[in-house]
């Protein structure tokens, strides 16, 4: 084989890579629409392909199973949120403000956030990114509240993680019909009260 042919085969077109990524995003956007309509239990790869206007084979190459669909949906939303509102607190006191920034992204990407929240609940998906955040919060609880027992640390970290989650946001908005401002205020208040009780001081 000539060097020219070898180089041609090894070359990866940036345009082709972008098209592939755009196709993936289009598929996930379509999936979010379907799930938001309440079809989490009965959608198929074919349903997504038809709605997106993409061939079944193309969709299948990206997402061969329902589980891969749902995992990718969560990771896509997590990436958007992490890029827009990075969750890198240095102490427990940083968490309420960071949670507030995350809630703004939830509002901006409401359709996507609602879809992956439903997907998590129904299918018990446990993405790696969520586990990493939970571990970060638990480490902060240990560092900032050394007086707690191992069991109390686990319980406290679980509550903080839940209060920062899209599930809490969705529940307050849908079940209790709080508006965006009320939802943010309620979640921030609960976080602040809990963290103040752990650190032993009140914030102004």
């Amino acid at each position: 084989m000539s060097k020219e042919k070898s180089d041609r085969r090894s070359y990866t077109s940036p345009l082709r890579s972008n098209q592939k990524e755009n196709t993936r995003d289009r598929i996930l956007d379509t999936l979010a629409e379907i799930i938001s309509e309440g079809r989490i239990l009965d959608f198929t790869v074919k349903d997504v392909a038809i709605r997106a206007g993409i061939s079944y084979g193309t969709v299948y190459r990206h997402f061969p199973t329902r589980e891969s669909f749902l995992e990718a949906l969560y990771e896509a939303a997590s990436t958007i949120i992490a890029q827009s509102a990075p969750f890198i607190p240095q102490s427990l006191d940083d968490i309420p403000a960071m949670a507030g920034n995350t809630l703004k992204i939830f509002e901006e990407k409401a359709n996507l956030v609602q879809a992956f929240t439903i997907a998590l609940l129904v299918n018990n998906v446990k993405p790696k990114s969520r586990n990493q955040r939970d571990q970060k919060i638990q480490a902060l609880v240990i560092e900032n509240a050394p007086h707690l027992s191992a069991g109390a640390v686990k319980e406290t970290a679980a509550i903080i993680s839940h209060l920062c989650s899209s599930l809490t946001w969705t529940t307050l908005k849908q079940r209790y019909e709080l508006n965006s401002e009320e939802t943010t205020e309620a979640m921030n208040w609960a976080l602040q009260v809990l963290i103040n009780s752990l650190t032993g001081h009140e914030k102004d």
Side-chain angles (χ1 to χ4, degrees), residues 6 94 101 111-112 121 133 138 153 163 176 182 193 199:
S6 176
D94 294 337
N101 291 334
N111 197 46
L112 180 61
L121 283 174
R133 190 189 72 168
Q138 184 162 320
V153 165
L163 287 172
Y176 296 102
E182 292 168 336
V193 169
T199 56

Side-chain angles (χ1 to χ4, degrees), residues 18-34:
N18 288 338
Q19 289 174 335
K20 183 176 181 180
E21 190 63 30
N22 289 339
T23 298
R24 178 184 172 87
D25 291 344
R26 184 174 171 185
I27 293 169
L28 289 177
D29 287 343
T30 301
L31 176 62
E33 291 177 3
I34 291 174

Side-chain angles (χ1 to χ4, degrees), residues 28-194:
L28 289 177
D29 287 343
T30 301
L31 176 62
E33 291 177 3
I34 291 174
I35 292 177
S36 294
E37 293 169 2
R39 295 189 54 203
I40 181 65
L41 296 176
D42 66 353
F43 80 86
T44 65
V45 175
K46 184 177 180 180
D47 291 333
V48 178
I50 292 173
R51 174 78 71 91
I54 299 172
S55 72
Y56 174 86
T58 298
V59 175
Y60 186 82
R61 281 195 295 273
H62 284 277
F63 307 106
T65 66
R66 286 170 54 88
E67 288 71 23
S68 64
F69 260 130
L70 301 175
E71 179 79 17
L73 182 66
Y74 182 89
E75 294 300 344
S78 296
T79 298
I80 291 172
I81 293 168
Q83 291 173 344
S84 304
F87 190 85
I88 47 174
Q90 299 304 308
S91 72
L92 291 177
D93 289 328
D94 294 337
I95 292 179
M98 290 188 174
N101 291 334
T102 300
L103 293 178
K104 293 178 183 177
I105 306 303
F106 286 175
E107 294 291 343
E108 293 172 5
K109 305 292 182 180
N111 197 46
L112 180 61
V113 172
Q114 180 181 347
F116 83 65
T117 302
I118 294 171
L120 286 175
L121 283 174
V122 175
N123 294 275
N124 195 30
V125 178
K126 298 179 180 179
K128 293 179 181 178
S129 58
R130 185 180 63 174
N131 291 335
Q132 291 168 352
R133 190 189 72 168
D134 291 348
Q135 290 170 7
K136 174 65 174 177
I137 291 176
Q138 184 162 320
L140 286 176
V141 172
I142 293 172
E143 179 183 347
N144 290 268
H147 59 285
L148 294 181
S149 66
V153 165
K154 183 178 180 182
E155 293 166 0
T156 303
I159 292 296
I160 293 174
S161 293
H162 189 65
L163 287 172
C164 293
S165 72
S166 62
L167 176 57
T168 299
W169 173 79
T170 299
T171 300
L172 292 177
K173 289 181 70 68
Q174 294 188 348
R175 181 174 175 179
Y176 296 102
E177 299 182 346
L178 299 187
N179 61 32
S180 299
E181 183 177 343
E182 292 168 336
T183 299
T184 299
E185 184 177 335
M187 292 174 73
N188 183 72
W189 171 81
L191 280 168
Q192 198 66 69
V193 169
L194 176 56

